[in-house]
Amino acid sequence: MAGIGLTMEAINQNPVMYELALDHIWSSGPRDMTDWLRTWVAARYGSSMATEEVHAAWQVLLRTCYDVLDKAQGNGFWGVTKSVIEKRPSLIQEQVVMSGFQETKLKYDACELITAWSSLIAAARDAETRLQPLAALALAGSAFLLDLLDVSRQVLSNLAMALFLEMTQRIASSAGQSGDKPGMNTTGGMLRSLRLEFLNICDDLDTMLGTEPHFMLGPWVEGAKRLADANMGAQERALYEFNARNLVTRWGPNGQISDYSSRLWSGLISDYYKPRWQLVLDFMVDHYTGSRLKGTYEQA
């Protein structure tokens, strides 16, 4: 072998993957991931945060969301999953929770990921106790906080998928019932509750991710606008902004591969993903309850 390199379609996410790949430059064989992760965690977070609790959390991450092997197919070609929140809304389960291209189906136990999340939260609280009064300064803007937000984002995304699955299963179980049957009142009431929980998760995600510029749409758009030369005309400057927004939404002037380069970012959730899900979920509740929510699908 003459060398090693990466050919990424996207960067600025999942840093552990890039660091592991490039670290193989210095090794002729596969890494022992337990030892490698211990060294990597200490280098990334510093000795004060590289506790046994944090190491244990990363071992869970390694065998859950970072284990993309499709055990049925024997490969990991499609990589990590998208969030159902980012997918084009539909009440047909197979159009949202799916394997293959733009995959959303999980290949790990989502409950196990919560244990890693809890461990990282506990480590942050422990650091505040051990390192006071400098803990807040040490954590603010740190790599540890960035990773904690990223894991939190995945946990809430998994919860959103569980709610979506519950909605579609209840719709399927009520098939063939008419609106005046007693069972429909129960179905409609449950769907209304599930809709609210799903949209609340969108709000919680947007608020949480809005605490870190790395997970915000605004800096992405503003960065593109800053690339525009001062001598450019207004039309060309607007094109820079259009391309930045288009890349993370429709991925093509006419939506050639919509959501291909989607991002679960603050601003994008509140202004793009949540509104289109709300259109569909409002319609769902209205259909199964006969009521009229303050949704906007009738005006869309």
Side-chain angles (χ1 to χ4, degrees):
M1 182 176 68
I4 189 170
L6 303 175
T7 54
M8 306 86 69
E9 278 198 294
I11 54 174
N12 297 325
Q13 34 75 23
N14 296 306
V16 65
M17 303 300 296
Y18 301 105
E19 296 202 34
L20 175 60
L22 293 175
D23 193 56
H24 278 81
I25 295 173
W26 313 108
S27 175
S28 59
R31 294 295 192 185
D32 180 309
M33 287 306 300
T34 299
D35 293 341
W36 187 89
L37 267 179
R38 183 171 292 276
T39 302
W40 182 80
V41 166
R44 181 164 175 80
Y45 300 152
S47 58
S48 63
M49 290 302 300
T51 63
E52 288 303 315
E53 196 165 34
V54 173
H55 288 303
W58 266 98
Q59 288 298 325
V60 175
L61 294 174
L62 183 65
R63 66 174 181 263
T64 54
C65 53
Y66 284 113
D67 181 5
V68 300
L69 180 66
D70 187 328
K71 295 175 177 61
Q73 299 294 325
N75 65 65
F77 176 76
W78 296 110
V80 295
T81 56
K82 283 183 177 287
S83 169
V84 296
I85 295 172
E86 301 167 50
K87 292 288 287 185
R88 183 181 179 89
S90 171
L91 295 178
I92 300 173
Q93 187 180 119
E94 295 76 15
Q95 292 182 355
V96 177
V97 180
M98 55 191 295
S99 297
F101 184 61
Q102 300 202 53
E103 183 166 27
T104 52
K105 185 174 291 185
L106 298 182
K107 294 183 172 65
Y108 60 87
D109 182 354
C111 293
E112 192 176 11
L113 183 62
I114 295 176
T115 64
W117 184 45
S118 299
S119 294
L120 292 176
I121 292 173
R125 289 173 175 164
D126 177 62
E128 289 180 337
T129 302
R130 289 187 294 106
L131 306 177
Q132 283 182 340
L134 299 178
L137 292 176
L139 289 177
S142 69
F144 179 84
L145 180 59
L146 195 73
D147 292 346
L148 176 57
L149 282 170
D150 211 6
V151 174
S152 302
R153 177 172 65 160
Q154 187 64 55
V155 168
L156 290 179
S157 171
N158 292 352
L159 179 56
M161 182 167 69
L163 293 170
F164 172 78
L165 289 172
E166 178 71 13
M167 284 187 275
T168 57
Q169 288 162 5
R170 288 189 174 273
I171 290 172
S173 66
S174 67
Q177 295 180 348
S178 61
D180 57 355
K181 289 190 176 182
M184 289 298 289
N185 294 329
T186 302
T187 299
M190 283 302 303
L191 290 176
R192 184 189 292 273
S193 176
L194 291 166
R195 164 200 170 274
L196 181 60
E197 289 186 64
F198 187 96
L199 296 178
N200 282 345
I201 286 177
C202 292
D203 291 335
D204 290 344
L205 274 166
D206 197 79
T207 300
M208 178 186 73
L209 297 173
T211 63
E212 167 55 53
H214 183 81
F215 296 119
M216 296 169 65
L217 175 64
W220 169 266
V221 174
E222 291 303 313
K225 290 162 69 174
R226 283 196 299 270
L227 290 175
D229 188 272
N231 297 321
M232 290 180 178
Q235 185 175 2
E236 191 163 1
R237 288 195 297 272
L239 179 62
Y240 275 59
E241 180 177 355
F242 169 82
N243 283 333
R245 293 180 181 274
N246 186 68
L247 180 65
V248 297
T249 53
R250 304 189 71 200
W251 206 87
N254 299 306
Q256 280 82 351
I257 317 179
S258 291
D259 303 315
Y260 178 61
S261 187
S262 59
R263 305 285 199 280
L264 205 60
W265 283 346
S266 179
L268 200 52
I269 299 171
S270 59
D271 295 346
Y272 189 67
Y273 299 134
K274 181 190 174 184
R276 64 183 190 177
W277 268 109
Q278 186 163 355
L279 290 175
V280 172
L281 298 183
D282 284 358
F283 176 83
M284 172 191 72
V285 171
D286 287 355
H287 175 75
Y288 284 93
T289 63
S291 64
R292 281 290 178 267
L293 296 173
K294 295 181 180 179
T296 57
Y297 69 87
E298 291 180 321
Q299 289 78 43

